[in-house]
Amino acid sequence: MKINVKNKNHLLFYLNSLTTKKTLMKFLQIKYININHDSLIGKMIIDTNKNFFQPEGFLHGGIITSLAESIGSSLSLIYVNQTLFNVFNIEISVNHIKNIKTGILFAVAKMIHKGKTLHCINVKILNNNKHIISFCKMTNIIISKKISHNNDRN
């Protein structure tokens, strides 16, 4: 899919509409804010009223990983025919560089490899000051819905 000014707003609207359903993206209050031909940017406000934290008060690494996987998987999602295929994350590796307690996190996902069955993506997690908090590498697999549904019966 070629991203242009005409369909950019439509794609962002579509991705943000997915966060209105009963999803982790809704719970984390992720908002998709920008997209271009090989990257997607999302943001998440650290909600101090939710149980997002380690005992020491720092944001839990699992929350950061969930943000990275949500943005990276959504980047893959826009490049597949969703009536025919599902996108599943099969590998994720996250390195946490800095800790954070409050503020806004930005996830910048960039497509590194876009094959027919595998997508490799890098995701940087940045704070309000554009300092890197974490970085991630992930692999998504693209599976036919027909195959996925057959596996559900087993």
Side-chain angles (χ1 to χ4, degrees), residues 54-94:
Q54 299 173 343
E56 300 82 22
F58 297 107
L59 188 64
H60 193 283
I63 298 297
I64 294 170
T65 304
S66 296
L67 171 62
E69 184 173 342
S70 296
I71 302 300
S73 293
S74 294
L75 180 58
S76 284
L77 191 65
I78 64 170
Y79 287 102
V80 301
N81 181 336
Q82 295 171 39
T83 59
L84 300 175
F85 298 99
N86 284 317
V87 173
F88 298 103
N89 178 260
I90 58 171
E91 183 274 334
I92 189 163
S93 172
V94 181

Side-chain angles (χ1 to χ4, degrees), residues 36-40 71-72 75 108-113 120-124:
N36 66 36
H37 72 281
D38 69 347
S39 66
L40 176 63
I71 302 300
L75 180 58
V108 181
K110 183 168 177 59
M111 186 74 70
I112 303 304
H113 169 75
C120 297
I121 298 167
N122 282 340
V123 184
K124 290 182 187 175

Side-chain angles (χ1 to χ4, degrees), residues 20 46 104:
T20 63
I46 299 171
I104 300 173

